[in-house]
Amino acid sequence: MLALDALKKYAKTDRTALVNREERLSYRELDARSDAFARWLLNAPEDRSPVVLRGDKETALLPCIFGALKAGRAYVPIDTVVPGDRAVQILADVEPQVVVDLAGGTLSWDGKVLSPGELETILTAPGPEVPRDQWIGEGDTAYLLFTSGSTGRPKGVAVTAGNLDAFCRGVLPLYPEDGGVVLHQVSYSFDVSGCAVYAGICRGMTLFTVDHGMAADLGACFAALERSGLSLWVSTPSFGELCAQSERFRQELLPRLERFLFCGEVLTHDLCDTLAERFPRARILNTYGPTETTVLVTAAEVTAELRRDSRPIPIGAPIAGVTLRLEREGQPVTGEGETGELLILGPTVGPGYLNRPDLTEKAFFTDPGTGLRGYRTGDLCYRKDGMYYYCGRVDNQLKLGGYRVELEDIEENLQKLPNVRRAAVVPVRDGEGRARYLAAFLLLREADGLSPLQRTIRLKKEAAPFLPGYMIPRKFLVVEAFPLNVNGKIDRKALAARLEETP
Ligand code: AMP
């Protein structure tokens, strides 16, 4: 695997792999600690189950990731924003025998749960290098990422070592030649973190950590960034926007910054214009890709010309190795400017969903003409002047503050609440069509006698064990009956229109 080869290569140098607040980990230490974790895993050779890693950005997580891969095992990151109940659903799906819980021991699971103390003993135990023939193979699952699923349970997306190698080959031409410092802010449970963890390590970069606590306190975050020597920014546009709200966020704060790489949701003209003005020495890249096809598959450099264009910022052209097609009702869409569903083909397309052959079958395919593996994205796009433009979804999936959310997932979970018979969730969008927050329309089992504010407070509290904070609607509105569309389904458009009428 390319990232493991690179780790070995840079372990012979004095480079720093990770900076996490006051802690630093050199490539040499990362290599030694990941070998130690792999040795410990290999003590139980009969166990091939994925290793679950629960935490935020603790320094020990990176050695665990590379350790799992060196032992030929997949890992499953679960961020601390995921509530215990949902985390246990993931565990039930994965059936791990080893769970690393750095989130304060809140997880109830029958298998082995390693505490931070136990993990430290394992990571610092001396021993020989792990032979390469134990390392993960090309076709083996490297990680499983759980994303919002329309059934109300998160679904596990598998990505292989070969997929990650293909991603690295495709993305590295966008990276600086060698070394530098890359922002490590994106959660491990969101695949855009692979831009730091895999491509960054391949280039011998230093991963500069911004954890949840720092991201929530921009003053502290900027004080740390000022000393970071950051050369490559990787984040969702949402985090970029959050930072850009402060006037301090400019080239003087990050004098070595050469590139912004955005991924995961719509990048707006506004943000590009602000950054172009404040960071005259930095290039801006808009990239796009679903988890199912490994981190990102397209890229566009946002030039001054594209910024002046009245069309949205394009998601760009495919990276090396990736083939894109557009399709409508099973027929290829080839005309310039014609909209169709985007199909992604090539070596970054993953094997599918864990334990869900039905969903895998629906979204993934093998192209009969080329033999390439393909994935139907559900994203509507058109092509113009060699660039792809994103223009919405075919379903109820959306991005909220950079997080991928299925509205049905939220509805299913709200229906678990004691007094909710039926729930319908709609996004409240801004002028550029992006979801800003969610509103839930509820049919109650019985009148609750509460004021709207009291009801909202109660429902938010009741929903917290089931849903991460970003999936909990901001507004709750009670209905006597739902408006239905011609197919007899709940008419979300009508509900969204009602929302515009209610202040
Ligand atoms: P995820 O699997 O969380 O990476 O989410 C993938 C989805 O996010 C895609 O299918 C798109 O709907 C959306 N997305 C990702 N990148 C972009 C982008 N640059 N512009 C618009 N939408 C994007």
Side-chain angles (χ1 to χ4, degrees), residues 9 22 31 39 121 123 125 149 166 173 180 201 209 240 259 287 341 345 353 388 403 409 427 429 454 463 471 499:
K9 176 175 138 193
E22 306 312 319
D31 186 39
R39 274 196 305 275
T121 308
L123 294 182
I201 293 287
T209 308
R259 268 162 248 232
T287 72
E341 182 185 5
L345 298 96
Y353 302 108
Y388 284 81
Y403 291 105
D409 188 357
R429 298 185 185 275
Q454 285 169 326
M471 286 174 80
L499 210 54

PDB file of all heavy atoms in Angstrom, residues 9 22 31 39 121 123 125 149 166 173 180 201 209 240 259 287 341 345 353 388 403 409 427 429 454 463 471 499:
ATOM      1  N   LYS A   9       9.434   4.834   4.318  1.00  0.00           N
ATOM      2  CA  LYS A   9      10.477   5.680   3.706  1.00  0.00           C
ATOM      3  C   LYS A   9      10.796   6.873   4.611  1.00  0.00           C
ATOM      4  O   LYS A   9      11.957   7.142   4.910  1.00  0.00           O
ATOM      5  CB  LYS A   9       9.977   6.151   2.337  1.00  0.00           C
ATOM      6  CG  LYS A   9      10.894   7.106   1.632  1.00  0.00           C
ATOM      7  CD  LYS A   9      10.377   7.410   0.237  1.00  0.00           C
ATOM      8  CE  LYS A   9      10.501   8.875  -0.099  1.00  0.00           C
ATOM      9  NZ  LYS A   9       9.761   9.250  -1.291  1.00  0.00           N
ATOM     10  N   GLU A  22      -0.014  20.079  21.984  1.00  0.00           N
ATOM     11  CA  GLU A  22       1.377  20.080  22.463  1.00  0.00           C
ATOM     12  C   GLU A  22       2.134  18.823  22.048  1.00  0.00           C
ATOM     13  O   GLU A  22       3.338  18.723  22.269  1.00  0.00           O
ATOM     14  CB  GLU A  22       1.419  20.193  24.004  1.00  0.00           C
ATOM     15  CG  GLU A  22       0.643  21.368  24.588  1.00  0.00           C
ATOM     16  CD  GLU A  22       0.958  22.671  23.879  1.00  0.00           C
ATOM     17  OE1 GLU A  22       2.139  22.906  23.558  1.00  0.00           O
ATOM     18  OE2 GLU A  22       0.010  23.446  23.616  1.00  0.00           O
ATOM     19  N   ASP A  31       5.809   5.006  12.766  1.00  0.00           N
ATOM     20  CA  ASP A  31       6.119   3.684  12.231  1.00  0.00           C
ATOM     21  C   ASP A  31       6.251   2.665  13.371  1.00  0.00           C
ATOM     22  O   ASP A  31       5.671   1.580  13.318  1.00  0.00           O
ATOM     23  CB  ASP A  31       7.426   3.778  11.427  1.00  0.00           C
ATOM     24  CG  ASP A  31       7.741   2.477  10.715  1.00  0.00           C
ATOM     25  OD1 ASP A  31       6.797   1.844  10.201  1.00  0.00           O
ATOM     26  OD2 ASP A  31       8.926   2.077  10.694  1.00  0.00           O
ATOM     27  N   ARG A  39       1.536  -5.699  15.837  1.00  0.00           N
ATOM     28  CA  ARG A  39       2.023  -6.919  16.527  1.00  0.00           C
ATOM     29  C   ARG A  39       0.990  -7.414  17.530  1.00  0.00           C
ATOM     30  O   ARG A  39       0.710  -8.602  17.629  1.00  0.00           O
ATOM     31  CB  ARG A  39       3.341  -6.603  17.277  1.00  0.00           C
ATOM     32  CG  ARG A  39       4.598  -6.732  16.436  1.00  0.00           C
ATOM     33  CD  ARG A  39       5.834  -6.790  17.326  1.00  0.00           C
ATOM     34  NE  ARG A  39       5.933  -5.664  18.229  1.00  0.00           N
ATOM     35  CZ  ARG A  39       6.466  -4.468  17.946  1.00  0.00           C
ATOM     36  NH1 ARG A  39       6.952  -4.251  16.744  1.00  0.00           N
ATOM     37  NH2 ARG A  39       6.514  -3.513  18.857  1.00  0.00           N
ATOM     38  N   THR A 121       0.113   1.314  26.591  1.00  0.00           N
ATOM     39  CA  THR A 121       1.034   0.212  26.905  1.00  0.00           C
ATOM     40  C   THR A 121       1.314  -0.603  25.634  1.00  0.00           C
ATOM     41  O   THR A 121       2.454  -0.974  25.354  1.00  0.00           O
ATOM     42  CB  THR A 121       0.398  -0.712  27.985  1.00  0.00           C
ATOM     43  OG1 THR A 121      -0.001   0.114  29.068  1.00  0.00           O
ATOM     44  CG2 THR A 121       1.365  -1.767  28.463  1.00  0.00           C
ATOM     45  N   LEU A 123       1.052   0.427  22.456  1.00  0.00           N
ATOM     46  CA  LEU A 123       1.748   1.202  21.414  1.00  0.00           C
ATOM     47  C   LEU A 123       3.229   1.415  21.731  1.00  0.00           C
ATOM     48  O   LEU A 123       4.023   1.692  20.828  1.00  0.00           O
ATOM     49  CB  LEU A 123       1.071   2.571  21.219  1.00  0.00           C
ATOM     50  CG  LEU A 123      -0.354   2.577  20.666  1.00  0.00           C
ATOM     51  CD1 LEU A 123      -0.855   4.000  20.478  1.00  0.00           C
ATOM     52  CD2 LEU A 123      -0.444   1.832  19.346  1.00  0.00           C
ATOM     53  N   ALA A 125       5.132  -0.828  23.434  1.00  0.00           N
ATOM     54  CA  ALA A 125       5.850  -2.092  23.668  1.00  0.00           C
ATOM     55  C   ALA A 125       6.895  -2.298  22.577  1.00  0.00           C
ATOM     56  O   ALA A 125       6.584  -2.165  21.395  1.00  0.00           O
ATOM     57  CB  ALA A 125       4.856  -3.250  23.679  1.00  0.00           C
ATOM     58  N   GLY A 149     -28.002   6.545   6.512  1.00  0.00           N
ATOM     59  CA  GLY A 149     -28.694   5.642   5.590  1.00  0.00           C
ATOM     60  C   GLY A 149     -30.182   5.894   5.658  1.00  0.00           C
ATOM     61  O   GLY A 149     -30.691   6.268   6.706  1.00  0.00           O
ATOM     62  N   ALA A 166      -5.344   4.018  -5.607  1.00  0.00           N
ATOM     63  CA  ALA A 166      -5.806   4.690  -6.834  1.00  0.00           C
ATOM     64  C   ALA A 166      -6.129   6.152  -6.540  1.00  0.00           C
ATOM     65  O   ALA A 166      -5.815   7.045  -7.335  1.00  0.00           O
ATOM     66  CB  ALA A 166      -7.034   3.968  -7.392  1.00  0.00           C
ATOM     67  N   PRO A 173      -0.879  14.549  -7.986  1.00  0.00           N
ATOM     68  CA  PRO A 173      -0.468  15.648  -8.873  1.00  0.00           C
ATOM     69  C   PRO A 173      -0.992  17.015  -8.416  1.00  0.00           C
ATOM     70  O   PRO A 173      -0.445  18.046  -8.818  1.00  0.00           O
ATOM     71  CB  PRO A 173      -1.074  15.248 -10.221  1.00  0.00           C
ATOM     72  CG  PRO A 173      -1.203  13.761 -10.158  1.00  0.00           C
ATOM     73  CD  PRO A 173      -1.502  13.444  -8.726  1.00  0.00           C
ATOM     74  N   GLY A 180       5.936  19.700   3.557  1.00  0.00           N
ATOM     75  CA  GLY A 180       4.944  20.734   3.824  1.00  0.00           C
ATOM     76  C   GLY A 180       4.039  20.303   4.978  1.00  0.00           C
ATOM     77  O   GLY A 180       4.195  19.222   5.550  1.00  0.00           O
ATOM     78  N   ILE A 201       0.544  11.644   3.939  1.00  0.00           N
ATOM     79  CA  ILE A 201       1.637  10.743   4.362  1.00  0.00           C
ATOM     80  C   ILE A 201       2.445  10.306   3.137  1.00  0.00           C
ATOM     81  O   ILE A 201       3.674  10.208   3.182  1.00  0.00           O
ATOM     82  CB  ILE A 201       1.068   9.519   5.137  1.00  0.00           C
ATOM     83  CG1 ILE A 201       0.468   9.987   6.472  1.00  0.00           C
ATOM     84  CG2 ILE A 201       2.130   8.433   5.341  1.00  0.00           C
ATOM     85  CD1 ILE A 201       1.418  10.404   7.566  1.00  0.00           C
ATOM     86  N   THR A 209      -3.073  19.106  13.407  1.00  0.00           N
ATOM     87  CA  THR A 209      -4.404  18.745  13.917  1.00  0.00           C
ATOM     88  C   THR A 209      -5.223  19.934  14.414  1.00  0.00           C
ATOM     89  O   THR A 209      -4.711  20.762  15.168  1.00  0.00           O
ATOM     90  CB  THR A 209      -4.235  17.764  15.101  1.00  0.00           C
ATOM     91  OG1 THR A 209      -3.402  16.704  14.676  1.00  0.00           O
ATOM     92  CG2 THR A 209      -5.576  17.234  15.576  1.00  0.00           C
ATOM     93  N   GLY A 240     -14.311  26.317   6.022  1.00  0.00           N
ATOM     94  CA  GLY A 240     -13.655  27.494   5.430  1.00  0.00           C
ATOM     95  C   GLY A 240     -14.464  28.755   5.699  1.00  0.00           C
ATOM     96  O   GLY A 240     -13.921  29.803   6.047  1.00  0.00           O
ATOM     97  N   ARG A 259      -2.192  26.381  -1.046  1.00  0.00           N
ATOM     98  CA  ARG A 259      -3.374  25.795  -1.664  1.00  0.00           C
ATOM     99  C   ARG A 259      -4.500  25.575  -0.670  1.00  0.00           C
ATOM    100  O   ARG A 259      -4.240  25.162   0.462  1.00  0.00           O
ATOM    101  CB  ARG A 259      -3.037  24.377  -2.167  1.00  0.00           C
ATOM    102  CG  ARG A 259      -2.568  24.280  -3.561  1.00  0.00           C
ATOM    103  CD  ARG A 259      -1.867  22.944  -3.736  1.00  0.00           C
ATOM    104  NE  ARG A 259      -0.458  23.248  -3.946  1.00  0.00           N
ATOM    105  CZ  ARG A 259       0.259  22.796  -4.942  1.00  0.00           C
ATOM    106  NH1 ARG A 259      -0.262  21.958  -5.800  1.00  0.00           N
ATOM    107  NH2 ARG A 259       1.517  23.154  -5.088  1.00  0.00           N
ATOM    108  N   THR A 287     -12.990  20.218  -5.128  1.00  0.00           N
ATOM    109  CA  THR A 287     -12.976  18.801  -5.470  1.00  0.00           C
ATOM    110  C   THR A 287     -14.291  18.173  -5.032  1.00  0.00           C
ATOM    111  O   THR A 287     -14.989  18.710  -4.186  1.00  0.00           O
ATOM    112  CB  THR A 287     -11.794  18.057  -4.814  1.00  0.00           C
ATOM    113  OG1 THR A 287     -12.045  17.933  -3.416  1.00  0.00           O
ATOM    114  CG2 THR A 287     -10.482  18.761  -5.060  1.00  0.00           C
ATOM    115  N   GLU A 341     -27.634  11.965 -14.356  1.00  0.00           N
ATOM    116  CA  GLU A 341     -27.036  11.470 -13.111  1.00  0.00           C
ATOM    117  C   GLU A 341     -25.577  11.109 -13.370  1.00  0.00           C
ATOM    118  O   GLU A 341     -25.250  10.502 -14.391  1.00  0.00           O
ATOM    119  CB  GLU A 341     -27.792  10.234 -12.606  1.00  0.00           C
ATOM    120  CG  GLU A 341     -27.220   9.742 -11.284  1.00  0.00           C
ATOM    121  CD  GLU A 341     -27.817   8.453 -10.748  1.00  0.00           C
ATOM    122  OE1 GLU A 341     -28.654   7.851 -11.457  1.00  0.00           O
ATOM    123  OE2 GLU A 341     -27.457   8.052  -9.649  1.00  0.00           O
ATOM    124  N   LEU A 345     -16.684   5.668 -12.671  1.00  0.00           N
ATOM    125  CA  LEU A 345     -16.113   4.354 -12.982  1.00  0.00           C
ATOM    126  C   LEU A 345     -14.605   4.376 -12.788  1.00  0.00           C
ATOM    127  O   LEU A 345     -13.965   5.409 -13.018  1.00  0.00           O
ATOM    128  CB  LEU A 345     -16.408   3.956 -14.436  1.00  0.00           C
ATOM    129  CG  LEU A 345     -17.881   3.799 -14.825  1.00  0.00           C
ATOM    130  CD1 LEU A 345     -18.410   5.064 -15.464  1.00  0.00           C
ATOM    131  CD2 LEU A 345     -18.049   2.624 -15.774  1.00  0.00           C
ATOM    132  N   TYR A 353     -21.538  -1.773   0.229  1.00  0.00           N
ATOM    133  CA  TYR A 353     -21.959  -1.539   1.617  1.00  0.00           C
ATOM    134  C   TYR A 353     -21.846  -2.813   2.447  1.00  0.00           C
ATOM    135  O   TYR A 353     -22.159  -3.902   1.951  1.00  0.00           O
ATOM    136  CB  TYR A 353     -23.409  -1.042   1.640  1.00  0.00           C
ATOM    137  CG  TYR A 353     -23.607   0.210   0.837  1.00  0.00           C
ATOM    138  CD1 TYR A 353     -24.297   0.182  -0.371  1.00  0.00           C
ATOM    139  CD2 TYR A 353     -23.078   1.435   1.266  1.00  0.00           C
ATOM    140  CE1 TYR A 353     -24.472   1.331  -1.133  1.00  0.00           C
ATOM    141  CE2 TYR A 353     -23.249   2.585   0.514  1.00  0.00           C
ATOM    142  CZ  TYR A 353     -23.939   2.521  -0.687  1.00  0.00           C
ATOM    143  OH  TYR A 353     -24.104   3.649  -1.440  1.00  0.00           O
ATOM    144  N   TYR A 388     -17.239  19.452 -15.186  1.00  0.00           N
ATOM    145  CA  TYR A 388     -18.535  19.014 -14.674  1.00  0.00           C
ATOM    146  C   TYR A 388     -19.052  20.037 -13.672  1.00  0.00           C
ATOM    147  O   TYR A 388     -18.277  20.605 -12.896  1.00  0.00           O
ATOM    148  CB  TYR A 388     -18.415  17.646 -14.011  1.00  0.00           C
ATOM    149  CG  TYR A 388     -18.306  16.533 -15.031  1.00  0.00           C
ATOM    150  CD1 TYR A 388     -17.088  16.249 -15.649  1.00  0.00           C
ATOM    151  CD2 TYR A 388     -19.417  15.796 -15.402  1.00  0.00           C
ATOM    152  CE1 TYR A 388     -16.984  15.243 -16.602  1.00  0.00           C
ATOM    153  CE2 TYR A 388     -19.322  14.788 -16.347  1.00  0.00           C
ATOM    154  CZ  TYR A 388     -18.113  14.519 -16.944  1.00  0.00           C
ATOM    155  OH  TYR A 388     -18.023  13.535 -17.892  1.00  0.00           O
ATOM    156  N   TYR A 403     -21.756  17.744   6.559  1.00  0.00           N
ATOM    157  CA  TYR A 403     -22.127  16.373   6.906  1.00  0.00           C
ATOM    158  C   TYR A 403     -23.156  15.816   5.924  1.00  0.00           C
ATOM    159  O   TYR A 403     -24.093  16.517   5.541  1.00  0.00           O
ATOM    160  CB  TYR A 403     -22.741  16.307   8.303  1.00  0.00           C
ATOM    161  CG  TYR A 403     -21.788  16.574   9.431  1.00  0.00           C
ATOM    162  CD1 TYR A 403     -21.794  17.778  10.120  1.00  0.00           C
ATOM    163  CD2 TYR A 403     -20.882  15.593   9.836  1.00  0.00           C
ATOM    164  CE1 TYR A 403     -20.922  18.008  11.179  1.00  0.00           C
ATOM    165  CE2 TYR A 403     -20.015  15.814  10.898  1.00  0.00           C
ATOM    166  CZ  TYR A 403     -20.047  17.024  11.558  1.00  0.00           C
ATOM    167  OH  TYR A 403     -19.192  17.240  12.605  1.00  0.00           O
ATOM    168  N   ASP A 409     -33.401   9.064   7.306  1.00  0.00           N
ATOM    169  CA  ASP A 409     -32.687   8.596   8.493  1.00  0.00           C
ATOM    170  C   ASP A 409     -33.172   9.373   9.719  1.00  0.00           C
ATOM    171  O   ASP A 409     -33.471   8.794  10.775  1.00  0.00           O
ATOM    172  CB  ASP A 409     -31.177   8.833   8.262  1.00  0.00           C
ATOM    173  CG  ASP A 409     -30.294   8.208   9.328  1.00  0.00           C
ATOM    174  OD1 ASP A 409     -30.832   7.647  10.283  1.00  0.00           O
ATOM    175  OD2 ASP A 409     -29.058   8.297   9.177  1.00  0.00           O
ATOM    176  N   PRO A 427     -35.295  20.477   4.480  1.00  0.00           N
ATOM    177  CA  PRO A 427     -34.210  21.434   4.691  1.00  0.00           C
ATOM    178  C   PRO A 427     -34.686  22.867   4.480  1.00  0.00           C
ATOM    179  O   PRO A 427     -35.564  23.109   3.652  1.00  0.00           O
ATOM    180  CB  PRO A 427     -33.202  21.049   3.607  1.00  0.00           C
ATOM    181  CG  PRO A 427     -34.025  20.437   2.527  1.00  0.00           C
ATOM    182  CD  PRO A 427     -35.227  19.820   3.174  1.00  0.00           C
ATOM    183  N   ARG A 429     -33.336  26.210   3.032  1.00  0.00           N
ATOM    184  CA  ARG A 429     -32.187  26.540   2.181  1.00  0.00           C
ATOM    185  C   ARG A 429     -31.916  28.034   2.144  1.00  0.00           C
ATOM    186  O   ARG A 429     -32.818  28.837   2.372  1.00  0.00           O
ATOM    187  CB  ARG A 429     -32.411  26.014   0.758  1.00  0.00           C
ATOM    188  CG  ARG A 429     -32.547  24.508   0.717  1.00  0.00           C
ATOM    189  CD  ARG A 429     -32.641  23.991  -0.699  1.00  0.00           C
ATOM    190  NE  ARG A 429     -32.886  22.557  -0.733  1.00  0.00           N
ATOM    191  CZ  ARG A 429     -31.928  21.626  -0.663  1.00  0.00           C
ATOM    192  NH1 ARG A 429     -30.658  21.969  -0.595  1.00  0.00           N
ATOM    193  NH2 ARG A 429     -32.239  20.346  -0.690  1.00  0.00           N
ATOM    194  N   GLN A 454     -41.316  24.921  24.343  1.00  0.00           N
ATOM    195  CA  GLN A 454     -41.190  23.787  25.285  1.00  0.00           C
ATOM    196  C   GLN A 454     -41.081  22.467  24.511  1.00  0.00           C
ATOM    197  O   GLN A 454     -40.290  21.598  24.842  1.00  0.00           O
ATOM    198  CB  GLN A 454     -42.431  23.715  26.188  1.00  0.00           C
ATOM    199  CG  GLN A 454     -42.466  24.782  27.257  1.00  0.00           C
ATOM    200  CD  GLN A 454     -43.839  24.809  27.930  1.00  0.00           C
ATOM    201  OE1 GLN A 454     -44.877  24.557  27.299  1.00  0.00           O
ATOM    202  NE2 GLN A 454     -43.848  25.120  29.216  1.00  0.00           N
ATOM    203  N   ALA A 463     -34.271  13.340  21.229  1.00  0.00           N
ATOM    204  CA  ALA A 463     -33.619  12.837  20.008  1.00  0.00           C
ATOM    205  C   ALA A 463     -32.111  12.630  20.203  1.00  0.00           C
ATOM    206  O   ALA A 463     -31.488  11.871  19.455  1.00  0.00           O
ATOM    207  CB  ALA A 463     -33.861  13.811  18.849  1.00  0.00           C
ATOM    208  N   MET A 471     -27.740  16.357  13.037  1.00  0.00           N
ATOM    209  CA  MET A 471     -28.918  15.777  12.373  1.00  0.00           C
ATOM    210  C   MET A 471     -30.216  16.123  13.098  1.00  0.00           C
ATOM    211  O   MET A 471     -31.305  15.751  12.636  1.00  0.00           O
ATOM    212  CB  MET A 471     -28.776  14.253  12.280  1.00  0.00           C
ATOM    213  CG  MET A 471     -27.774  13.812  11.231  1.00  0.00           C
ATOM    214  SD  MET A 471     -27.477  12.036  11.241  1.00  0.00           S
ATOM    215  CE  MET A 471     -28.872  11.420  10.347  1.00  0.00           C
ATOM    216  N   LEU A 499     -43.301  26.252   5.328  1.00  0.00           N
ATOM    217  CA  LEU A 499     -42.242  26.779   6.191  1.00  0.00           C
ATOM    218  C   LEU A 499     -41.948  28.235   5.865  1.00  0.00           C
ATOM    219  O   LEU A 499     -41.675  29.057   6.746  1.00  0.00           O
ATOM    220  CB  LEU A 499     -40.989  25.938   5.945  1.00  0.00           C
ATOM    221  CG  LEU A 499     -40.019  25.769   7.075  1.00  0.00           C
ATOM    222  CD1 LEU A 499     -40.702  25.239   8.311  1.00  0.00           C
ATOM    223  CD2 LEU A 499     -38.930  24.817   6.633  1.00  0.00           C
TER     224      LEU A 499
END
